[in-house]
Amino acid sequence: MTQASLNLPEALRGALDTALRELHQRIPAIMGCVVATVDGRLVAHIIDNEADPQRIAAMIGSMVALGESIGRETRIDRSQYVVVNASNGLLYAQRVPSRRELFVVSTLARPTTNLGLVLHETRSAAEEIGQAVDGWLEQQQTRLAAAASTAEA
């Protein structure tokens, strides 16, 4: 797995990498997985073809946000995910659910892949990543509270 230069805490980086690696291994027809920040910075990726993960990262946050905007504008509510179905593959992208929606995850798969399987497995990976983010945020809040109480004493 190749990592981006985004500076994440080691525990959080490990959780993201594990979720991505397991997603990539669960479906043999997956050609790649990318985690990016919502503003398009590459966090982690596994790419088996010539696709540029930096460019994918730059686009998937905007793609998910656009899907959400279209859902609201058309009064069908917030989009859950976005799928690009092309002649040589499909790309699935969704926001990582957490208290602070910091990341998006996408999966690139061969056109013969069962879309339902890709949706399910990517959603599961996104939930794992979201739980790791929430756990890290809770640790940070606990540390800040402990530091504040020590400073007051």
Side-chain angles (χ1 to χ4, degrees), residues 14 44 49 84 109:
N49 67 8
V84 176

Side-chain angles (χ1 to χ4, degrees), residues 4-150:
S5 60
L6 188 65
N7 189 15
L8 292 178
E10 199 62 38
L12 186 54
R13 162 114 11 237
L16 291 170
D17 288 346
T18 298
L20 215 57
R21 186 174 43 256
E22 289 175 356
L23 170 60
H24 188 258
Q25 292 172 350
R26 282 193 297 261
I27 306 173
I30 287 181
M31 297 184 289
C33 308
V34 173
V35 176
T37 61
V38 293
D39 63 350
R41 292 180 293 155
L42 183 61
V43 176
H45 72 278
I46 300 172
I47 299 289
D48 296 338
N49 67 8
E50 302 83 39
D52 180 352
Q54 294 279 4
R55 292 179 67 141
I56 294 169
M59 290 183 275
I60 61 174
S62 297
M63 187 172 80
V64 168
L66 182 58
E68 291 170 351
S69 295
I70 291 169
R72 281 191 306 271
E73 192 64 32
T74 58
R75 308 292 192 256
I76 59 174
D77 212 358
R78 184 176 176 185
S79 168
Q80 301 294 311
Y81 56 86
V82 177
V83 175
V84 176
N85 189 357
S87 57
N88 290 319
L90 59 93
L91 179 88
Y92 168 85
Q94 79 165 65
R95 198 175 289 270
V96 171
S98 65
R99 286 186 299 172
R100 292 186 57 209
E101 294 183 331
L102 303 171
F103 303 110
V104 292
V105 64
S106 68
T107 304
L108 178 63
R110 290 180 177 77
T112 56
T113 308
N114 179 308
L115 179 59
L117 182 61
V118 173
L119 296 176
H120 173 74
E121 293 297 339
T122 305
R123 187 175 304 128
S124 294
E127 289 171 1
E128 290 173 29
I129 293 168
Q131 289 171 358
V133 169
D134 286 345
W136 180 77
L137 289 171
E138 286 176 25
Q139 287 177 348
Q140 295 304 101
Q141 286 178 334
T142 301
R143 285 186 185 135
L144 289 173
S149 67
T150 302

